[in-house]
Amino acid sequence: MQRSDCRMWSSVRGGEGLQSLASAIEQNHTGLRALARFEGNRFQSRVAGAVPEKILDPEDDDPAYALANIALREAQESARAALSDVDPKRIGLVLSTTKANVEALERLMAGGRCSEKARRHLEGDLLAADLAAECAAAGPVRCVSAACVSGLIALQQGARLIRSGDADAVIVVGVDHLSAFVATGFSALKALDPEGCRPFDRDRRGLSPGEAGAAIILARSSSPAPGMVYLRGWASTNDANHMTGPSRDGSGLAAAITGALNRAGVESDHVDYINAHGTGTPYNDAMESMALRTVFGSNCPPVSGSKGMLGHTLGAAGVVETILCVIAMQTGILPGTPRLTAPAEGTPASLLLEPRSASQSRYVLKLNTGFGGINGAVVLGLSS
Amino acid sequence: MKGSITLAGESTASAEELKSARLGTRFGRLDLCSQLAVLAVEKLGIDFASLPKDRIGICLAVKAGSLATDIEYWKGRDSVGGPSPSLFAYTLPSSALGEIAIRHRITGPGLCLFGDEDCLVEEAKRLIAEGEADGCICVSCKVITPEVAEMLLIAPRVVARAMFLASKMQPIAGDKA
Amino acid sequence: MSVSTSELKTNIIESLKLQDITAEQIDDEAPLFGTGLGLDSIDALELVVMLEKKYGILIKDIEEGRPAFRSVRTLAEFIDKKRAA
């Protein structure tokens, strides 16, 4: 099985008070707070993860673009030396988002003020094009929008573009901003936890919305550099069951995990850590536990869920949470599961409540699932 | 490379055709984009039941994303009882992909692009070239209703197109919808 | 005055956008969920919205609605009871 040759640099901004993701992981930090903007009958819960005001102006009419740009610039900066002699025509960009700049829709339908730029960014493909222009990526540009699995699908898309020879580097940027649109929607579905999400917890009742901008740069690499993280394998599948309910037995997600491990050429007992989707809804976390049991039996590797830290960042989730995996691999500290206190029956025995030092994290598995029954998995490898 | 990729079916679906489409009691729950996509796939006339469904991918491109449904959903935000939960479930560009998968029990990979169809076939071929699928249903939807047209300042257009690309698969023609 | 089951069925059809089915074809006693009409959890949420919109009845907790949603008959009785209260 061929090995994928994409190394990664990354940057993310999300959650309240997060100075550095690495220290947030160490402290098992939760960035979820009760927000004034979600007061009122429309909202089942006030608790969500918001980017600090000093980073994202609450009056910005184009928060999708603003958030994505912040992450993009930082990622580019960190990859500057390595990409300095790559022809811009060989640098692509894949945007991952579920709602693009839905802020503009809310403003326009309220008869409020909305700039042409903000209106333009209602369209994901145009948002992607403008971000590509912003960072001089003149290669292939795509906008992936596959519900909560968008981020992982976007990473897969970037890898395919490199492997097919159509790009030497791809900037994968994920973004979704906190919106009343999404918060009311999840409220209408009664899918929010009034107390804030508690992934895998016995008393969990739902998810918490979040927002983030995150970027990962994938590049072709002929010779592995020690300490670098590689995208080694991936897969996506469809449950074909129900639009908002995952398939009861987790078989679709299990198939995605197996597919990703096969593509990576990694045995299931060589996986050192798993970062779960773990939204905190009764259904998702139960289904995910079943999928893990199907693939790993009673030998599930250490696993944790990060949505108690940032909330569910939707289109950014796959990118953000992959970055958390990269940090884990490079620092040797596996994240815990913020806001989890009492693991539910049926959840893996290896569930990490608190962060843990790991002697080595050579292979890490990242999972996400989404509305419509789509599942995604990627396998990351650390080069020695 | 697995050998040539052939075009094994092509179809279009319009809003007018939906009126006479008989696709089940629950078809009405789908939003306009999903209805068009499902109808276009039906009109391909392929018997998916005869194919290995975990080796079929679904690639969807949606110009203007889910904005038509988004507008409809958000209109109901202050109505008595609140906005429609069912409608919210369709405020994602990838909803149609899920509906196609559900209808035909297709469990292979999925890719949904927010944008026009220019690179749809190219991406389907990439999926097949990577060995992730042996066949791919490609659907392109444009759901630019008058309200979306007004919001985006572009021309209205409502249509869906479907194609089936196959490498190792020999699709059999099934009963058309 | 008792709620009309015929009107209730029309409201169900409209709220859930059911196609190719008339009110007459829905049996008053038939299960709404699982078998019978085969409705699911999202339909239940949609019916809660419909109850508020069309009958002014608020269901705070979906568990309260569960026994009421068993059939058209039980739903009609639930509406009558709430209105009388």
Side-chain angles (χ1 to χ4, degrees):
Chain A
M1 189 62 52
Q2 263 185 306
R3 164 199 161 125
S4 189
D5 45 9
C6 304
R7 55 186 284 194
M8 310 163 73
W9 293 264
S10 59
S11 159
V12 62
R13 273 282 177 268
E16 188 167 284
L18 270 169
Q19 297 305 311
S20 135
L21 275 184
S23 61
I25 289 171
E26 260 181 87
Q27 291 157 38
N28 219 31
H29 178 83
T30 172
L32 303 184
R33 304 280 182 271
L35 303 181
R37 75 178 91 168
F38 291 149
E39 261 161 29
N41 290 341
R42 274 181 181 180
F43 304 107
Q44 198 192 355
S45 172
R46 292 176 52 202
V47 180
V51 173
E53 280 185 25
K54 65 185 185 217
I55 292 172
L56 181 65
D57 178 1
E59 299 306 303
D60 195 328
D61 68 353
D62 198 357
Y65 185 76
L67 261 183
N69 233 344
I70 294 166
L72 254 182
R73 279 159 202 251
E74 287 190 6
Q76 273 195 290
E77 195 51 51
S78 66
R80 183 177 296 280
L83 295 187
S84 57
D85 46 10
V86 180
D87 178 358
K89 288 208 249 336
R90 303 285 302 164
I91 301 178
L93 184 137
V94 180
L95 171 67
S96 160
T97 186
T98 61
K99 301 305 305 164
N101 194 43
V102 71
E103 170 70 23
L105 178 144
E106 291 183 33
R107 285 181 182 231
L108 290 167
M109 289 181 70
R113 280 173 37 211
C114 183
S115 64
E116 286 316 302
K117 170 179 148 293
R119 181 199 296 255
R120 178 181 158 80
H121 293 154
L122 279 169
E123 299 187 67
D125 49 339
L126 301 185
L127 177 57
D130 288 356
L131 289 169
E134 189 71 41
C135 58
V141 177
R142 306 277 184 271
C143 177
V144 167
S145 190
C148 317
V149 196
S150 295
L152 293 191
I153 304 291
L155 282 167
Q156 298 178 12
Q157 182 57 40
R160 282 188 209 109
L161 284 168
I162 291 173
R163 283 170 53 80
S164 65
D166 293 279
D168 294 326
V170 175
I171 304 171
V172 178
V173 53
V175 70
D176 264 309
H177 65 89
L178 261 187
S179 63
F181 187 99
V182 167
T184 56
F186 281 128
S187 297
L189 287 175
K190 301 277 179 268
L192 299 182
D193 188 327
E195 311 298 315
C197 72
R198 295 169 271 180
F200 299 107
D201 198 285
R202 181 188 59 199
D203 298 324
R204 68 188 188 278
R205 291 173 60 189
L207 59 92
S208 291
E211 64 182 352
I216 287 175
I217 300 182
L218 299 175
R220 180 192 305 287
S221 174
S222 48
S223 49
M228 289 306 301
V229 178
Y230 287 79
L231 182 56
R232 292 206 47 151
W234 66 83
S236 69
T237 61
N238 280 282
D239 281 350
N241 183 61
H242 184 277
M243 282 310 280
T244 60
S247 77
R248 304 237 144 226
D249 58 4
S251 53
L253 180 58
I257 296 171
T258 310
L261 290 174
N262 285 345
R263 178 167 295 270
V266 173
E267 302 286 329
S268 58
D269 53 2
H270 290 164
V271 175
D272 295 308
Y273 166 65
I274 302 171
N275 188 272
H277 186 53
T279 56
T281 66
Y283 288 117
N284 177 82
D285 297 1
M287 177 281 294
E288 202 167 1
S289 299
M290 269 190 268
L292 290 172
R293 184 171 297 278
T294 299
V295 178
F296 298 101
S298 47
N299 291 324
C300 187
V303 52
S304 59
S306 305
K307 289 187 168 65
M309 179 192 290
L310 294 171
H312 193 342
T313 56
L314 306 175
V319 185
V320 167
E321 293 164 12
T322 296
I323 291 172
L324 294 175
C325 292
V326 171
I327 293 173
M329 292 164 89
Q330 291 179 329
T331 61
I333 299 174
L334 302 183
T337 304
R339 304 180 61 86
L340 163 63
T341 48
E345 211 179 297
T347 55
S350 55
L351 203 49
L352 299 173
L353 280 72
E354 298 291 323
R356 176 199 294 178
S357 295
S359 51
Q360 96 160 354
S361 294
R362 192 150 169 246
Y363 297 117
V364 167
L365 175 67
K366 171 67 209 141
L367 312 177
N368 285 121
T369 69
F371 271 15
I374 187 163
N375 308 288
V378 302
V379 175
L380 308 177
L382 184 69
S383 179
S384 46
Chain B
M1 238 335 239
K2 292 183 187 350
S4 62
I5 294 174
T6 54
L7 179 64
E10 209 170 351
S11 69
T12 59
S14 68
E16 286 67 45
E17 288 171 82
L18 284 177
K19 294 176 190 142
S20 50
R22 292 278 167 267
L23 289 169
T25 322
R26 302 312 320 263
F27 189 63
R29 174 152 91 170
L30 277 59
D31 73 328
L32 180 56
C33 185
S34 300
Q35 288 188 356
L36 285 166
V38 165
L39 179 58
V41 172
E42 287 294 313
K43 289 178 69 181
L44 284 174
I46 290 170
D47 177 21
F48 292 108
S50 66
L51 300 173
K53 290 189 275 292
D54 59 342
R55 297 297 301 167
I56 300 177
I58 303 173
C59 290
L60 173 68
V62 192
K63 179 67 186 158
S66 57
L67 280 165
T69 307
D70 294 358
I71 292 171
E72 205 188 324
Y73 166 76
W74 199 235
K75 269 192 201 165
R77 66 195 177 281
D78 290 321
S79 58
V80 174
S84 163
S86 169
L87 206 46
F88 178 70
Y90 291 92
T91 58
L92 287 168
S94 50
S95 307
L97 195 160
E99 286 295 348
I100 293 165
I102 289 168
R103 189 166 186 93
H104 298 286
R105 300 244 153 262
I106 287 165
T107 56
L111 174 65
C112 181
L113 301 172
F114 191 147
D116 226 327
E117 59 193 3
D118 344 359
C119 42
L120 188 59
V121 170
E122 181 191 330
E123 292 309 338
K125 286 181 175 174
R126 255 190 207 99
L127 258 182
I128 293 173
E130 278 290 350
E132 296 177 65
D134 299 319
C136 211
I137 302 172
C138 298
V139 183
S140 135
C141 292
K142 288 185 190 12
V143 188
I144 306 165
T145 57
E147 282 151 322
V148 174
E150 191 187 323
M151 186 173 279
L152 299 182
L153 307 171
I154 58 180
R157 180 123 166 79
V158 177
V159 71
R161 232 160 59 89
M163 275 171 285
F164 187 65
L165 297 179
S167 76
K168 290 186 201 162
M169 293 186 173
Q170 297 304 316
I172 305 163
D175 295 324
K176 287 196 180 1
Chain C
M1 166 142 155
S2 243
V3 71
S4 144
T5 55
S6 164
E7 178 198 281
L8 177 55
K9 285 186 268 196
T10 302
N11 285 331
I12 290 171
I13 289 170
E14 185 190 291
S15 149
L16 302 184
K17 300 178 182 165
L18 301 179
Q19 291 187 338
D20 296 339
I21 187 166
T22 61
E24 293 71 48
Q25 289 171 311
I26 302 176
D27 180 52
D28 283 12
E29 316 296 332
L32 289 174
F33 290 82
T35 55
L37 262 187
L39 305 184
D40 62 24
S41 53
I42 298 216
D43 296 319
L45 293 170
E46 204 66 54
L47 289 181
V48 169
V49 170
M50 182 274 285
L51 284 177
E52 192 177 337
K53 255 202 228 321
K54 300 285 187 180
Y55 300 99
I57 290 165
L58 229 84
I59 296 185
K60 282 277 154 76
D61 173 8
I62 195 72
E63 286 310 309
E64 187 196 344
R66 199 175 288 280
F69 284 164
R70 205 174 321 124
S71 67
V72 172
R73 166 80 56 213
T74 58
L75 191 53
E77 286 167 0
F78 177 79
I79 295 170
D80 287 341
K81 194 174 87 167
K82 282 282 180 174
R83 278 173 153 183

